[in-house]
Amino acid sequence: MSDPSIEIRTRAMEFLKQQELSPDTQTRICLFLQGVKSINATILSRVEFQPMDWVPYKFLHSQCYKEVELTTLLGKSTTWSSNPLIFLAATQLNLSLWQETGAARYMGGMLKVDRNFYEYLALSHAFLSVIRILPLLSVQISLDTPFLSALKEIEEENGRQIQTQIRLLKDMAIELSLDEKENIIESQRQIVERLFLRLLDEITETRVAA
């Protein structure tokens, strides 16, 4: 039995290889990434209002403001669609993003080094590591357009942040077994993978882009 995720990625690569990114495609990608980064920035903003060790505070503080900066940059670089159905589909996906990640449960109360915080870090790690557009593009496509340049900057920054997050996930002093940590990381990765594949599936469907 074929793997649906491979089929979707293959179709997305073929679709993105055959054309420059249309306003419809740019709009779908932009709104999804803005949804992801808005969740991350909202959760991370809580570190400003409570005591925290300097090293994790510095990393989370920097990541928060970088997410806001990149969200604004991407929006400015996007050639926006004039098709209202594109915005409707994007809104539905972003609603699923909030629901399926359970993002709201990471936004209340004080940040504590507990299972809930570890689950958030694993979710944030999945956002950074799973959602990658540039590897799906043809190597012959020039990245000097505003939109692709912004995507490149985002994915390069994600790569830098991933290294620090891996250390936090690995070395954090928390009452979780190794198996529990691995299960949390994999569970969050699967959630983000499903959402990202849904985005790719939808932007390659002609009925959505029409």
Side-chain angles (χ1 to χ4, degrees):
M1 184 176 180
S2 60
D3 185 343
S5 67
I6 295 177
E7 292 180 2
I8 291 171
R9 288 180 182 275
T10 300
R11 190 168 73 246
M13 291 177 71
E14 289 299 318
F15 176 83
L16 296 172
K17 185 192 306 181
Q18 293 172 5
Q19 60 175 41
E20 295 184 4
L21 297 189
S22 67
D24 287 355
T25 301
Q26 289 187 38
T27 298
R28 288 304 311 271
I29 292 171
C30 176
L31 291 176
F32 182 69
L33 289 177
Q34 286 185 331
V36 165
K37 293 193 171 298
S38 294
I39 287 174
N40 225 12
T42 302
I43 297 170
L44 289 169
S45 66
R46 296 165 59 206
V47 306
E48 303 300 327
F49 304 103
Q50 63 186 79
M52 181 176 289
D53 290 341
W54 175 248
V55 173
Y57 167 77
K58 183 179 179 183
F59 167 68
L60 296 174
H61 169 88
S62 175
Q63 186 180 1
C64 176
Y65 284 92
K66 198 67 179 177
E67 295 286 63
V68 174
E69 175 191 343
L70 293 174
T71 297
T72 305
L73 180 69
L74 184 63
K76 189 69 173 178
S77 72
T78 298
T79 301
W80 293 96
S81 172
S82 59
N83 184 351
L85 295 180
I86 294 298
F87 290 89
L88 176 61
T91 299
Q92 292 171 337
L93 178 55
N94 279 2
L95 179 60
S96 295
L97 173 66
W98 277 81
Q99 292 173 334
E100 295 183 27
T101 61
R105 65 193 174 96
Y106 305 119
M107 297 181 182
M110 298 289 287
L111 284 175
K112 296 183 293 184
V113 181
D114 57 10
R115 185 185 184 94
N116 194 60
F117 183 59
Y118 195 87
E119 288 177 352
Y120 159 66
L121 285 180
L123 175 64
S124 180
H125 175 70
F127 283 154
L128 298 177
S129 61
V130 171
I131 302 171
R132 301 179 64 215
I133 298 294
L134 294 186
L136 301 174
L137 302 180
S138 168
V139 294
Q140 298 176 336
I141 290 181
S142 172
L143 301 181
D144 62 1
T145 66
F147 185 74
L148 292 179
S149 175
L151 275 183
K152 181 174 182 289
E153 184 170 345
I154 287 171
E155 295 193 7
E156 287 177 346
E157 178 62 27
N158 288 352
R160 287 189 287 269
Q161 292 180 8
I162 283 171
Q163 301 307 312
T164 304
Q165 283 194 330
I166 289 173
R167 290 199 299 272
L168 286 175
L169 288 167
K170 179 181 178 181
D171 300 334
M172 180 180 294
I174 188 171
E175 294 183 358
L176 291 172
S177 68
L178 180 59
D179 284 346
E180 287 176 308
K181 289 180 178 180
E182 291 178 348
N183 288 338
I184 289 171
I185 292 170
E186 177 59 18
S187 175
Q188 300 291 52
R189 188 201 66 78
Q190 289 180 7
I191 291 170
V192 175
E193 175 86 358
R194 285 197 303 270
L195 291 162
F196 182 51
L197 289 175
R198 178 175 160 186
L199 171 70
L200 297 180
D201 191 34
E202 290 179 359
I203 65 176
T204 57
E205 287 182 334
T206 55
R207 64 179 179 84
V208 173

